[in-house]
C-alpha cells in the first residue's frame, strides 16, 4: 500500500468513525463520548485504524497496532 492510498483510506475511516452506525459497520463498538475523544487524538485514531486494518486483513504501512480499549476514557476521567 502506498502512502497516498493509506492517507485516503485513513481519511475515509475517520469520516466513518464519526457516527455510531458506521462505526458498527467497521466493527468498532464505542459510545459517542469515547469515539469523540479518540477523534480528538490523532495517535489514538491511528491505532484504531491500524487495528481495523489488521482485523480486516488489510496490510498497513507501519504494521498493525492494538486498538484503544473500551472504557479507557472513563478510567482516565476517574483519575483526574
Amino acid at each position: 500500500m502506498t502512502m497516498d492510498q493509506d492517507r485516503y483510506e485513513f481519511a475515509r475511516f475517520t469520516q466513518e468513525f464519526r457516527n455510531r452506525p458506521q462505526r458498527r459497520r467497521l466493527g468498532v463498538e464505542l459510545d459517542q463520548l469515547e469515539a469523540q475523544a479518540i477523534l480528538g487524538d490523532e495517535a489514538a485514531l491511528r491505532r484504531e485504524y491500524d487495528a481495523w486494518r489488521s482485523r480486516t486483513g488489510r496490510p498497513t504501512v507501519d504494521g498493525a497496532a492494538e486498538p484503544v480499549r473500551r472504557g479507557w476514557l472513563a478510567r482516565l476521567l476517574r483519575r483526574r
Side-chain angles (χ1 to χ4, degrees), residues 59-71:
T60 61
V61 174
D62 296 323
E66 287 296 312
V68 176
R69 298 291 177 218
R70 184 163 176 72

Side-chain angles (χ1 to χ4, degrees), residues 5-22:
Q5 288 170 324
D6 183 66
R7 276 192 291 270
Y8 172 78
E9 193 162 284
F10 180 67
R12 192 167 154 213
F13 175 86
T14 301
Q15 196 65 25
E16 292 175 1
F17 197 86
R18 293 184 188 282
N19 75 56
R20 185 174 227 156
Q22 289 179 322

Side-chain angles (χ1 to χ4, degrees), residues 16-17 19-30:
E16 292 175 1
F17 197 86
N19 75 56
R20 185 174 227 156
Q22 289 179 322
R23 273 196 310 278
R24 288 183 134 171
R25 282 195 293 274
L26 293 171
V28 178
E29 292 291 332
L30 296 172

Side-chain angles (χ1 to χ4, degrees), residues 68-80:
V68 176
R69 298 291 177 218
R70 184 163 176 72
W72 70 272
L73 181 60
R75 288 190 297 275
L76 176 69
L77 293 174
R78 279 196 298 264
R79 283 188 257 169
R80 290 184 177 188

Side-chain angles (χ1 to χ4, degrees), residues 19-68:
N19 75 56
R20 185 174 227 156
Q22 289 179 322
R23 273 196 310 278
R24 288 183 134 171
R25 282 195 293 274
L26 293 171
V28 178
E29 292 291 332
L30 296 172
D31 64 34
Q32 194 63 25
L33 182 61
E34 290 172 315
Q36 289 300 317
I38 291 171
L39 283 163
D41 179 348
E42 189 166 341
L45 183 58
R46 178 58 74 164
R47 284 191 302 272
E48 281 292 335
Y49 169 71
D50 287 343
W52 169 76
R53 291 185 63 77
S54 180
R55 280 192 311 272
T56 58
R58 292 172 169 87
T60 61
V61 174
D62 296 323
E66 287 296 312
V68 176

